[in-house]
Amino acid sequence: MFFFMLDTGVWSESRSFNDKGYGPIPSRWKRACENHANDGFTCNKKLIGARYFCDGYIQAGGVVNASKRSPRDYHSHGLHTLSTVGGNFVPGASILGFGNGTAKGGSPSARVAAYKVCWPNLKNPENPTYFDSDILNGFDMAVHDGVDVISVSLGNPQPVDYFQDGISIGAFHTVKKGVVVVCSVCNSSPDAGTVSNFSFY
């Protein structure tokens, strides 16, 4: 099973993506591990793919210098969501020494891929932002590369009409290709009426 995440990228050195005990990557996977930043980011037999998409962000005025042209996650949201979905077993995990145990994702034996579509917000760099063109490029490439399930933990601040929502459009065409798409509801809890991902498919 190939799980794929559209998000802020991933930290490839995380123990959640250790590939010890994994066999060869199935030939149906069109492997790509993009990294033009020379930052040490690598893929393996667990983290089988990683790409980044930033053309829309750059067109809107964002800057992605040479040192950041990589799927590496500098925000941590993508690392968190991908390890939640398909992180491998990590013994000895704790939170500041509390809750000691073994951490794992929902499907720890799955192979995973991360495509970075989120970049520093143009007004508030601490918060990530994304553009529909990068989202759609990510969906298209995921289908091309051969994923089974796409997880998207992104959403608009407010609900958007289907025909103006890149996530809804990308998910619709991806589902038509036989790929399962799972989206977070993207709510601004605890406020009421803030769910923005409500596409019926």
Side-chain angles (χ1 to χ4, degrees):
M1 182 71 73
F2 299 158
F3 278 101
F4 162 88
M5 183 72 66
L6 284 173
D7 213 291
T8 60
V10 68
W11 200 264
S12 60
E13 295 85 353
S14 169
R15 289 192 293 160
S16 292
F17 309 116
N18 185 310
D19 68 350
K20 183 178 180 180
Y22 280 74
I25 298 170
S27 59
R28 68 183 177 88
W29 175 251
K30 299 178 179 65
R31 183 175 182 174
C33 193
E34 296 180 346
N35 180 15
H36 299 106
N38 194 28
D39 61 0
F41 186 100
T42 60
C43 297
N44 57 30
K45 291 180 285 187
K46 167 69 173 176
L47 178 62
I48 59 173
R51 297 180 185 267
Y52 65 92
F53 302 90
C54 57
D55 288 349
Y57 177 70
I58 292 172
Q59 285 294 317
V63 176
V64 181
N65 61 40
S67 67
K68 301 296 184 184
R69 290 185 177 267
S70 162
R72 185 171 293 284
D73 185 3
Y74 289 99
H75 182 269
S76 78
H77 189 263
L79 169 61
H80 157 68
T81 52
L82 187 60
S83 61
T84 299
V85 169
N88 207 343
F89 293 93
V90 180
S94 71
I95 300 176
L96 301 177
F98 295 95
N100 293 304
T102 297
K104 71 177 185 68
S107 183
S109 63
R111 300 182 198 256
V112 298
Y115 289 7
K116 182 174 181 175
V117 297
C118 298
W119 302 88
N121 191 293
L122 300 177
K123 295 181 179 179
N124 181 5
E126 295 300 314
N127 294 322
T129 190
Y130 64 84
F131 291 85
D132 283 348
S133 59
D134 296 329
I135 289 280
L136 292 171
N137 278 338
F139 272 116
D140 284 348
M141 193 55 68
V143 173
H144 170 269
D145 287 345
V147 302
D148 299 306
V149 179
I150 296 178
S151 180
V152 184
S153 290
L154 309 174
N156 297 295
Q158 300 294 329
V160 177
D161 183 87
Y162 291 121
F163 297 105
Q164 298 177 333
D165 180 13
I167 294 175
S168 293
I169 294 169
F172 176 76
H173 288 284
T174 300
V175 168
K176 285 181 65 178
K177 295 290 187 179
V179 177
V180 175
V181 178
V182 181
C183 293
S184 64
V185 296
C186 196
N187 64 304
S188 299
S189 179
D191 298 332
T194 59
V195 170
S196 64
N197 279 342
F198 49 80
S199 297
F200 57 89
Y201 39 83

